[in-house]
Amino acid sequence: MSSVSFDQLVADPHRALAALREATPVAWLEDLGGWMVTTHELCARVLTDAETFTVDDERFSTRRVVGSSMLSLDGPAHALHRSAFAPDFRRRHVHDRLEDPLGELLASLATRLAPLGEVDLRSAVALPTAAEMMQRALGLDGVSAERLIEWNTALISAIDGVTEGGDVPSYGTDAFERLKGAVGEAMGDGAMRDAAERAGLPVEGMASNVAVLLIGGIVTSEGAMSIAFRHLLDRPALMGEIRQDSKLVDRFLEESLRYEPAAAFLDRYATRDVVLGNQSITAGDLVRVSIAGANRDPLVFEQPNLFDVSRANPSDHLTFARGPHTCLGIHLAKLEIRTAILVLLRALPGLSAAPGPSPSVGGLIFRAPDQVPAIWAGDSATLS
Ligand code: HEM
């Protein structure tokens, strides 16, 4: 049995995960009620073997709040639910349809911020960008980004409550019902109607998947963008290099995603007795895949605790998972973070971290800094 605690995994997971990986890469963690897998190889093996390690289990709290969706199904049912939305999130489609609106949104945010000279980049840029882009990507024209944030917050809080052993609270059911109403309206035409027809899903099933898209698309993108902003502000020399050569932003982005993944671990349930990394796992056991652990596995990443934009294999991380549940929003998430960095660097001359200690990244599953305070030369800043 391992002594790594819940609190250690929130405050300083990387040290605890490195100790676990060295001692026993598949470890029973009493505090988390399941196995924690910490090597890249074993994490990838679990994620790509959905027959042995499934998401389809009644304990899965997201399913209890928003119903069955691609996130909580495996096999043909999973493929069907995913097929409704997959075409809309392909790289080409995302770039063709969302790159311009994203650029305009960020430019207008930056123009509003420029005279201020200081701001928290998480609340002023990362959250509104993630929410606005999900509203556009899903074609939920009748709903404001603020409303989506409100429903999303209620759903996540309900999921957290259920994870801790409670019943689904009424505010969670309420938020889901209101989202379902909005999805029903959006199904009248456009992308939402096409998606529903593609998979033959009724409004209930569409709403479950839209809820998962919102949860996946807002919290993780907001977190990953905030983490990237923090890494950037902490490295003024690198910021200067990216200003000079914008192509470097892609390497920076991958390293930021690897170094501190916005979703730290993923849950699976063993469907049969199986041996993994010399441990005997029993059918029904909870198996938690540590993305944060896999991303700092020294067998895959040289000097894993170094933030190094020149590493040879920057995108071998598992931040967007692997296998059938590989993140649907990879291209949108990367586009958002890359564009946000380039627009802010252009629009806010002298952008730098506000005085004081660099904000720490916290959270058990979803990880982000609470705030990312930044300053710049406010008076002269304008965006052409
Ligand atoms: C940097 C930001 C993001 C990160 C780190 C991230 C991470 C992940 C991870 C780790 C999974 C796998 C979950 C599992 O296997 O249990 C996942 C799945 C998913 N993500 Fe993302 N995500 C991000 C952004 C987005 C965005 C912008 C969207 C919206 C389009 C999105 C939509 C989804 C969906 C729908 C799934 C479920 C796919 C399935 O089960 O087949 N994600 N994401």
Side-chain angles (χ1 to χ4, degrees):
M1 198 174 295
S2 167
S3 59
V4 169
S5 70
F6 184 95
D7 290 344
Q8 279 172 294
L9 289 171
V10 173
D12 187 10
H14 301 295
R15 194 191 303 256
L17 293 168
L20 271 186
R21 193 188 311 104
E22 200 142 298
T24 167
V26 180
W28 179 262
L29 293 193
E30 203 56 40
D31 257 19
L32 293 189
W35 300 95
M36 184 68 104
V37 186
T38 46
T39 64
H40 191 284
E41 188 207 341
L42 294 177
C43 286
R45 191 185 304 171
V46 171
L47 292 175
T48 47
D49 181 1
E51 278 185 22
T52 311
F53 302 101
T54 186
V55 291
D56 193 350
D57 189 283
E58 61 189 22
R59 284 167 286 175
F60 192 32
S61 43
T62 305
R63 184 167 97 181
R64 290 186 48 205
V65 177
V66 306
S68 285
S69 68
M70 64 181 117
L71 194 68
S72 60
L73 291 165
D74 270 315
H78 168 258
L80 181 83
H81 280 243
R82 192 169 161 120
S83 71
F85 298 91
D88 290 341
F89 289 98
R90 285 200 191 112
R91 186 173 189 283
R92 186 63 184 272
H93 197 84
V94 165
H95 281 248
D96 286 354
R97 214 167 42 104
L98 297 174
E99 191 165 8
D100 289 348
L102 172 63
E104 283 158 24
L105 167 71
L106 280 160
S108 105
L109 271 178
T111 301
R112 260 183 283 145
L113 295 178
L116 303 179
E118 63 178 320
V119 86
D120 162 29
L121 292 178
R122 177 172 174 174
S123 55
V125 179
L127 177 60
T129 302
E132 286 271 353
M133 292 317 292
M134 284 315 296
Q135 190 256 3
R136 281 172 186 264
L138 292 167
L140 287 171
D141 298 336
V143 189
S144 67
E146 288 74 24
R147 186 72 69 223
L148 289 184
I149 292 171
E150 194 184 303
W151 293 343
N152 194 45
T153 307
L155 292 175
I156 288 172
S157 164
I159 291 166
D160 284 347
V162 171
T163 306
E164 284 160 20
D167 291 327
V168 180
S170 58
Y171 61 80
T173 318
D174 218 49
F176 182 67
E177 284 306 312
R178 283 193 280 155
L179 176 63
K180 194 163 84 183
V183 170
E185 272 178 37
M187 277 167 68
D189 58 18
M192 196 72 85
R193 182 195 56 200
D194 296 347
E197 283 178 3
R198 207 156 29 231
L201 286 174
V203 64
E204 182 86 27
M206 287 295 288
S208 300
N209 285 291
V210 169
V212 159
L213 278 155
L214 284 185
I215 295 166
I218 297 180
V219 179
T220 46
S221 281
E222 177 196 5
M225 222 180 299
S226 306
I227 289 168
F229 291 155
R230 201 209 79 166
H231 284 143
L232 193 69
L233 297 181
D234 283 351
R235 293 168 180 79
L238 183 57
M239 209 179 334
E241 287 174 42
I242 296 174
R243 275 186 208 278
Q244 298 296 317
D245 176 8
S246 63
K247 287 201 288 305
L248 190 57
V249 77
D250 288 318
R251 284 193 154 271
F252 168 79
L253 166 60
E254 291 297 340
E255 184 63 349
S256 179
L257 290 166
R258 177 195 75 84
Y259 196 80
E260 194 66 79
F265 62 81
L266 306 173
D267 287 354
R268 298 292 189 265
Y269 300 88
T271 57
R272 59 179 176 89
D273 293 354
V274 58
V275 174
L276 185 74
N278 291 335
Q279 296 282 13
S280 296
I281 291 175
T282 305
D285 280 358
L286 171 61
V287 179
R288 312 197 107 155
V289 176
S290 173
I291 300 182
N295 283 1
R296 296 212 192 182
D297 184 339
L299 284 181
V300 176
F301 299 103
E302 245 175 68
Q303 294 200 279
N305 297 320
L306 201 67
F307 189 97
D308 177 7
V309 293
S310 65
R311 60 177 66 250
N313 55 345
S315 47
D316 281 351
H317 57 74
L318 295 185
T319 295
F320 294 111
R322 281 264 168 99
H325 294 276
T326 297
C327 177
L328 204 64
I330 296 179
H331 305 298
L332 176 57
K334 287 190 185 183
L335 185 66
E336 284 175 4
I337 302 170
R338 179 194 303 125
T339 312
I341 289 171
L342 294 180
V343 169
L344 293 184
L345 285 178
R346 191 154 52 92
L348 308 176
L351 180 67
S352 51
S358 174
S360 61
V361 175
L364 181 67
I365 301 178
F366 294 124
R367 291 180 56 76
D370 283 343
Q371 294 196 343
V372 189
I375 54 171
W376 59 91
D379 299 328
S380 57
T382 49
L383 185 70
S384 56

